[in-house]
Amino acid sequence: MLFRSMQKLASVLELENKLPESETNYQHHLERLLRSLPKDHLAVLWAYESLAAVLLRENKYDKAEEAINNCLSGLEQNFPNNWRTFNARSLLAAC
């Protein structure tokens, strides 16, 4: 439940254009997920993608690219036809 609350808070902050706060919350959310789930778990991959989207909006291209690269191979291998895989590819292109 805490994971979902942290993700929702980060998402709301992003919608409110409070990008530094959103980035921090997505980062904490991702760190907690990585402590309890394998790195190729869908929730972890989506957390990387969400973080990358905020980083791109902040013009932090190197960090965004790193986050996308952390998730893209897992998405392509485990979820090749999922819309998030295609979204992650487009985020990488924006880097």
Side-chain angles (χ1 to χ4, degrees):
M1 187 70 168
L2 177 63
F3 294 140
R4 181 164 276 217
S5 298
M6 290 180 72
Q7 185 273 331
K8 286 188 182 270
L9 174 60
S11 180
V12 168
L13 290 167
E14 181 181 2
L15 290 172
E16 292 179 349
N17 261 347
K18 297 179 180 177
L19 299 178
E21 294 94 337
S22 178
E23 176 189 348
T24 300
N25 278 278
Y26 276 130
Q27 191 66 255
H28 290 302
H29 173 61
L30 178 60
E31 289 167 3
R32 286 180 181 256
L33 288 174
L34 286 169
R35 279 187 248 146
S36 60
L37 297 172
K39 67 180 183 175
D40 63 346
H41 189 280
L42 188 57
V44 172
L45 300 174
W46 286 359
Y48 273 119
E49 181 191 15
S50 297
L51 175 61
V54 170
L55 291 167
L56 275 174
R57 290 186 61 198
E58 293 180 296
N59 299 320
K60 296 181 178 179
Y61 301 110
D62 290 341
K63 287 184 175 184
E65 184 176 7
E66 181 181 340
I68 285 297
N69 283 328
N70 281 326
C71 79
L72 192 53
S73 63
L75 286 172
E76 288 175 334
Q77 182 177 10
N78 298 309
F79 309 98
N81 295 318
N82 188 289
W83 72 269
R84 290 223 183 222
T85 304
F86 299 106
N87 188 58
R89 288 182 189 136
S90 69
L91 290 174
L92 182 60
C95 293

